Amino acid sequence: MDSSKRNQVEQNKRQSNNLLGVVYMTTGMFLFAAVDTQAKFLTGSFHPFQIGWLRVIGLVLGIAFLTAIYGRRIFVTQRLGLQIFRGVLAVISALCFIFAIQFVPLADAVAASFVAPFFVTILGAVVLREKVGYRRWVAVVVGFIGALIIVRPGMDAVHPAVFLVILAAFMFASRQVIGRLISSTDKTITTVAYTALTGGLLLSLPLAFVWRWPQSNLELALFAAVAVLSGVSEVLLIKALEVADAVALAPIHYSILIWATFYGYVIFGDLPDRWTWLGTIIIVAAGLYTIQRAKSIKPTP
């Protein structure tokens, strides 16, 4: 086979893998939105610590499934301290989001969380010494303007708990940056495994003080659904990142807003107002531009 035919075969394979990754990612975003909806519903009766524990147990179950496939080698790490610290940030991020959605409509919370990529850009420049051109800095500023339109501080348009979503987004971005730091030595599956184990341990500590047994079949079913779907979502995300280019997958993350809006309207009767839609459009546009610009930017030594 000559080089041109071989290149064509490799390109077709890459496109096929990207398509499969997009399917994995889209399904994962759909399930993540379902988990967030169930979590919001449960916050009316259960403590956020307990709901957070349910979510991380689902992730632990997912890691147990992957361990059965890949063996104990997924726990081999050269950056144990950073892995544990990343797990702590994951717990704080999850709890902030769960506390917030007790008061904030689901779609509004998801929209506000889209500022995470801009925090990644800032932290990448400060921590990783990545080169960030003025166009990306402009995109960051525009993205935060979109966030301000959603939050509208001082206007009582959105519950103040939305700032917990912003904090959760910052913690999520910090996790991403740490993930970049350890990606040269540890596999993605290893990072997710330590995040699961750290989160499971930390959230189990206060569980005895807040635990409440489900009182109905519906609550019991939601407990099981949150745990199982959280694990399945994470596995799908891992598989997507394994088979497809990250750049091809990044825009799919924004599809979670579609599902969150759908679930929020069907379950809670909530719809974002026009200002939230405007802010979201601005954030998504700036975020997609940031992703596009970041493709050709490499960290400086």
Side-chain angles (χ1 to χ4, degrees):
M1 184 183 295
D2 59 37
S3 60
S4 61
K5 289 183 179 180
R6 185 162 49 248
N7 290 337
Q8 184 64 42
V9 170
E10 291 177 355
Q11 182 178 1
N12 291 339
K13 181 179 179 181
R14 185 161 56 250
Q15 290 175 346
S16 177
N17 287 344
N18 282 343
L19 178 60
L20 180 60
V22 166
V23 172
Y24 283 146
M25 189 76 166
T26 302
T27 307
M29 291 299 102
F30 176 81
L31 295 181
F32 272 125
V35 171
D36 288 341
T37 304
Q38 293 161 350
K40 180 175 176 62
F41 185 85
L42 288 172
T43 56
S45 305
F46 297 90
H47 197 283
F49 281 156
Q50 187 171 354
I51 299 170
W53 180 84
L54 288 171
R55 295 190 65 159
V56 79
I57 286 302
L59 182 54
V60 171
L61 293 174
I63 292 302
F65 172 76
L66 292 174
T67 302
I69 297 175
Y70 298 106
R72 289 180 294 179
R73 67 178 182 272
I74 69 173
F75 296 104
V76 176
T77 176
Q78 298 182 40
R79 312 295 289 273
L80 181 60
L82 283 177
Q83 291 284 13
I84 293 174
F85 182 52
R86 187 180 186 277
V88 172
L89 292 178
V91 170
I92 297 173
S93 177
L95 288 177
C96 285
F97 190 82
I98 294 171
F99 270 104
I101 60 176
Q102 292 181 91
F103 311 103
V104 179
L106 188 60
D108 290 17
V110 170
S113 72
F114 286 164
V115 298
F118 309 120
F119 283 129
V120 171
T121 298
I122 295 170
L123 291 172
V126 174
V127 178
L128 302 181
R129 303 299 182 186
E130 292 181 346
K131 181 181 179 181
V132 179
Y134 75 91
R135 292 184 181 89
R136 289 175 70 195
W137 283 122
V138 169
V140 169
V141 173
V142 170
F144 281 117
I145 290 174
L148 288 174
I149 292 174
I150 294 173
V151 175
R152 282 159 282 171
M155 298 180 65
D156 297 326
V158 182
H159 195 284
V162 74
F163 289 104
L164 286 175
V165 177
I166 305 297
L167 179 58
F170 177 77
M171 294 297 176
F172 178 83
S174 300
R175 287 168 52 196
Q176 297 298 97
V177 171
I178 291 175
R180 291 183 186 179
L181 282 172
I182 60 184
S183 62
S184 61
T185 58
D186 292 1
K187 295 180 179 179
T188 300
I189 193 173
T190 300
T191 300
V192 176
Y194 277 98
T195 298
L197 294 180
T198 303
L201 176 61
L202 290 179
L203 286 170
S204 294
L205 296 176
L207 201 60
F209 302 99
V210 300
W211 181 266
R212 173 181 173 272
W213 288 103
Q215 302 297 310
S216 66
N217 290 334
L218 175 61
E219 291 181 347
L220 185 61
L222 288 174
F223 268 39
V226 168
V228 172
L229 293 182
S230 294
V232 172
S233 301
E234 292 290 347
V235 172
L236 287 171
L237 182 59
I238 293 169
K239 294 301 295 182
L241 292 170
E242 283 181 351
V243 303
D245 298 330
V247 172
L249 297 176
I252 306 301
H253 174 77
Y254 292 109
S255 68
I256 193 173
L257 181 62
I258 299 173
W259 310 125
T261 301
F262 171 75
Y263 287 134
Y265 177 68
V266 172
I267 305 299
F268 306 108
D270 295 329
L271 275 177
D273 62 22
R274 60 182 180 178
W275 294 108
T276 299
W277 281 119
L278 175 61
T280 302
I281 291 170
I282 292 173
I283 290 175
V284 171
L288 291 175
Y289 180 80
T290 300
I291 292 169
Q292 181 66 26
R293 292 293 303 173
K295 288 194 298 183
S296 59
I297 302 298
K298 295 182 180 180
T300 56

